[in-house]
C-alpha cells in the first residue's frame, strides 16, 4: 500500500490507493520468486435494493472487498469463502457479487436479483454500479453481516476508476507458512528500494505483525504460549525429579548390600548417575519421537473445529494445525534428562554422605 494509505487504512481512502500495480507486481515476482502476490481492494458504500419498478425499495451501508475470483482459486480458499456461503455460489462472470446473508434476508434479496452499489470512485466521482447477486455469505462478524459485498477485482477496478490499481498487494509464501524472519528480510530489502519518504504515494511494505495492531496481539499470544510451555516443563521436571528421587530411595537396601560386599561409595554413586543419564536419554528420545510424530500429523492434517465455529467462518480456517520448530528437537530433554538425573543424584547423595556402619544398621544388612 502507499505510505499515506497506510496511515489512513481504517478509512479505506481510494484516492490514496496504489497505481501501476501490474508493473510493481512483475517486479515483486522477479525479486521474490518464492512468494505469491495478489491484489485486494477494500471499499465502502451503500447497497440499493430496487423494487419491481426499479425504484429504491431499501438501502443499507456495505463494506466491500474485491479479490481475484476468476483467476486465483487460492484467494477463495484463503478467505474460506466456499464454506461460508449460505446460498448460491461464488462469482463466475463479470457483474456478479456475493452479499451478506443477513442483509439479503432483511431486505428480501433473492439470488439472481440485482442490487446497485452507490459510492465514490478513486477520482472522487459518483459510483453507480449494478451487480447480480449470485450468492449470500455469513461472516460470523456482526458488522460485516449487517452489510457486505464481495466482487471480483476486475469489476472493482472498472467501477472504481482504478485500472491498474489496488488498495493493497498481499504477499504469501508459496509453502503457505508464515515465517517472520523471511518476512522481515523481504520488508527490509523492499522498502529501501521502492519506498521514498518524500513521495507519499510510493509503496511501503509491512509485515503481518505490523498491520492493524496485530503485533501486540501476536506478541501476547507468543508470550502466553511461552508461559504455558514453561509451566509444563516445570511440572514435568518436578514429576520426573520425584520419580528419580523415589527410585533412588527404594534402592537403599541394594546399596547396603553392595557396600557390604566391598564396593566403594563413589563407584555406587557414579553407576547410579550413569543409569539415570541413560534412562533419561532413552526416555527423552522416545518421548521426542512420539511428540514430533503427533506434531507432524497435526501440522500436515490438523484438527477440524468446524463444528465449534459454525458461526465464525470468514477468514478463520476451521482446521487448526501445529508447527514443528527446531526447539522441539531438544526441549524435551530438559525435564527428561536433567530432572531424572538430579532426582537420582539427590537420592544417592544422602547415602553417599553416611557412614558405612550406620548405613548397615539403617538398612538392616
Amino acid at each position: 500500500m502507499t505510505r499515506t494509505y497506510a496511515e489512513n487504512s481504517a478509512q479505506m481512502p481510494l484516492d490514496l490507493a496504489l497505481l501501476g500495480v501490474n508493473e510493481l507486481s512483475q517486479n515483486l515476482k522477479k525479486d521474490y520468486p518464492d512468494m505469491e502476490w495478489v491484489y485486494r481492494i477494500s471499499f465502502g458504500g451503500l447497497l440499493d435494493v430496487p423494487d419491481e419498478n426499479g425504484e429504491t425499495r431499501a438501502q443499507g451501508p456495505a463494506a466491500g472487498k474485491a479479490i481475484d475470483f476468476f483467476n486465483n482459486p487460492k484467494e477463495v480458499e484463503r478467505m474460506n469463502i466456499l464454506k461460508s456461503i449460505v446460498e448460491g455460489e461464488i462469482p463466475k462472470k463479470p457483474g456478479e457479487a456475493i452479499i451478506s446473508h443477513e442483509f439479503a434476508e432483511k431486505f428480501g434479496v433473492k439470488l439472481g436479483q440485482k442490487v446497485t452499489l452507490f459510492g465514490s470512485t478513486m477520482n472522487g466521482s459518483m459510483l453507480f454500479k449494478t451487480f447480480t447477486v449470485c450468492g449470500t455469505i455469513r461472516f460470523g462478524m456482526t458488522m460485516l453481516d449487517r452489510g457486505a459485498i464481495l466482487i471480483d477485482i476486475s469489476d472493482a477496478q472498472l467501477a472504481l476508476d482504478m485500472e491498474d490499481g489496488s488498495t493493497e498487494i498481499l504477499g504469501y509464501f508459496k509453502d503457505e507458512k508464515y515465517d517472520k524472519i523471511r518476512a522481515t528480510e523481504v520488508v527490509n530489502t523492499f522498502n529501501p528500494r521502492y519506498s521514498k519518504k518524500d513521495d507519499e504515494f510510493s509503496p511501503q511494505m509491512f509485515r503481518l505483525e505490523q498491520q492493524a495492531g496485530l503485533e501486540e496481539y501476536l506478541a501476547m499470544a507468543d508470550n502466553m504460549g511461552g508461559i504455558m510451555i514453561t509451566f509444563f516443563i516445570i511440572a514435568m521436571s518436578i514429576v520426573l525429579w520425584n520419580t528419580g528421587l523415589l527410585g533412588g530411595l527404594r534402592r537403599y537396601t541394594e546399596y547396603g548390600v553392595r557396600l557390604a560386599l566391598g564396593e566403594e561409595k563413589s563407584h555406587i554413586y557414579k553407576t547410579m548417575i550413569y543409569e539415570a543419564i541413560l534412562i533419561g536419554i532413552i526416555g527423552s528420545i522416545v518421548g521426542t519421537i512420539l511428540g514430533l510424530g503427533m506434531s507432524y500429523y497435526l501440522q500436515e492434517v490438523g484438527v477440524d473445529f468446524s463444528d465449534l465455529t459454525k458461526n465464525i467462518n470468514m477468514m478463520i480456517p476451521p482446521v487448526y494445525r501445529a508447527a514443528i520448530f527446531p526447539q522441539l528437537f531438544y526441549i524435551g530433554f530438559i525435564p527428561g534428562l536433567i530432572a531424572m538425573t538430579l532426582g537420582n543424584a539427590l537420592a544417592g547423595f544422602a547415602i553417599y554422605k553416611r557412614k558405612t556402619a550406620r548405613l548397615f544398621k539403617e538398612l538392616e544388612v
Side-chain angles (χ1 to χ4, degrees):
M1 61 184 72
T2 63
R3 299 177 64 88
T4 49
Y5 186 94
E7 297 173 358
N8 304 276
S9 58
Q11 303 175 23
M12 296 183 291
L14 296 179
D15 56 323
L16 303 178
L18 281 169
L19 292 177
V21 293
N22 290 332
E23 180 181 355
L24 179 58
S25 178
Q26 292 299 321
N27 292 335
L28 289 170
K29 292 177 181 178
K30 180 180 178 181
D31 295 338
Y32 311 104
D34 60 334
M35 299 186 68
E36 177 187 354
W37 302 93
V38 298
Y39 307 149
R40 296 272 181 89
I41 295 179
S42 301
F43 57 94
L46 286 176
L47 272 184
D48 180 89
V49 182
D51 57 17
E52 60 275 5
N53 298 319
E55 301 294 334
T56 297
R57 177 167 58 86
Q59 281 186 346
K65 178 72 73 173
I67 67 173
D68 191 354
F69 279 104
F70 301 156
N71 304 310
N72 194 341
K74 285 187 176 181
E75 278 286 81
V76 178
E77 181 181 350
R78 288 190 187 105
M79 298 185 68
N80 201 31
I81 292 177
L82 290 178
K83 292 185 178 180
S84 304
I85 288 181
V86 180
E87 296 179 351
E89 58 183 5
I90 63 174
K92 296 292 182 62
K93 57 184 180 180
E96 292 185 337
I98 301 174
I99 64 174
S100 61
H101 187 71
E102 183 176 324
F103 183 92
E105 284 191 328
K106 181 178 180 180
F107 297 112
V109 180
K110 305 297 182 182
L111 296 182
Q113 187 174 340
K114 295 185 181 298
V115 295
T116 302
L117 176 66
F118 293 169
S120 61
T121 68
M122 182 178 182
N123 298 322
S125 58
M126 293 296 295
L127 162 67
F128 299 95
K129 178 66 175 179
T130 300
F131 294 94
T132 301
V133 177
C134 64
T136 62
I137 193 169
R138 179 176 287 115
F139 297 86
M141 300 174 62
T142 303
M143 182 183 69
L144 293 177
D145 284 336
R146 288 177 179 173
I149 181 171
L150 296 177
I151 60 177
D152 184 73
I153 190 75
S154 59
D155 283 335
Q157 289 176 327
L158 179 62
L160 299 171
D161 293 338
M162 294 180 64
E163 184 179 357
D164 197 21
S166 70
T167 55
E168 56 189 354
I169 300 177
L170 302 184
Y172 294 92
F173 293 109
K174 290 185 177 180
D175 58 6
E176 297 293 337
K177 297 177 183 178
Y178 178 72
D179 188 330
K180 182 178 180 180
I181 297 177
R182 292 166 61 192
T184 302
E185 292 176 353
V186 173
V187 171
N188 291 341
T189 55
F190 176 88
N191 285 336
R193 182 176 179 182
Y194 292 96
S195 185
K196 302 176 182 178
K197 293 183 179 180
D198 57 349
D199 184 1
E200 61 182 4
F201 293 102
S202 63
Q204 186 173 15
M205 185 179 291
F206 299 90
R207 298 194 320 270
L208 175 66
E209 299 93 334
Q210 297 174 313
Q211 302 182 44
L214 282 177
E215 187 166 12
E216 292 79 7
Y217 176 80
L218 293 176
M220 182 180 66
D222 288 340
N223 291 335
M224 291 300 297
I227 292 173
M228 293 176 64
I229 292 174
T230 301
F231 274 113
F232 179 77
I233 291 176
I234 293 174
M236 291 304 300
S237 297
I238 293 174
V239 171
L240 294 175
W241 177 80
N242 282 326
T243 300
L245 181 62
L246 293 175
L249 293 175
R250 290 176 179 177
R251 299 176 65 183
Y252 271 20
T253 302
E254 175 193 337
Y255 301 148
V257 172
R258 293 168 65 178
L259 286 171
L261 294 175
E263 189 174 354
E264 295 183 0
K265 295 179 181 179
S266 59
H267 185 266
I268 296 175
Y269 187 75
K270 289 178 182 179
T271 56
M272 183 177 64
I273 297 300
Y274 294 153
E275 289 175 6
I277 293 175
L278 180 61
I279 293 173
I281 291 176
I282 295 174
S284 298
I285 292 175
V286 173
T288 299
I289 292 174
L290 293 176
L292 288 175
M294 295 179 63
S295 298
Y296 181 77
Y297 173 82
L298 292 175
Q299 176 179 277
E300 299 300 319
V301 180
V303 180
D304 191 347
F305 286 94
S306 56
D307 291 338
L308 302 178
T309 58
K310 292 181 178 179
N311 296 324
I312 304 177
N313 297 315
M314 193 62 177
M315 301 182 192
I316 302 180
V319 178
Y320 289 77
R321 303 177 185 274
I324 296 179
F325 298 99
Q327 295 87 338
L328 298 180
F329 288 89
Y330 61 81
I331 195 171
F333 285 83
I334 296 176
L337 179 59
I338 298 177
M340 176 66 73
T341 304
L342 181 61
N344 280 273
L346 292 176
F349 188 73
I351 295 178
Y352 184 74
K353 285 296 184 180
R354 293 178 182 176
K355 295 182 179 180
T356 305
R358 184 176 179 182
L359 184 61
F360 287 170
K361 183 177 180 180
E362 289 181 359
L363 300 176
E364 298 179 355
V365 176

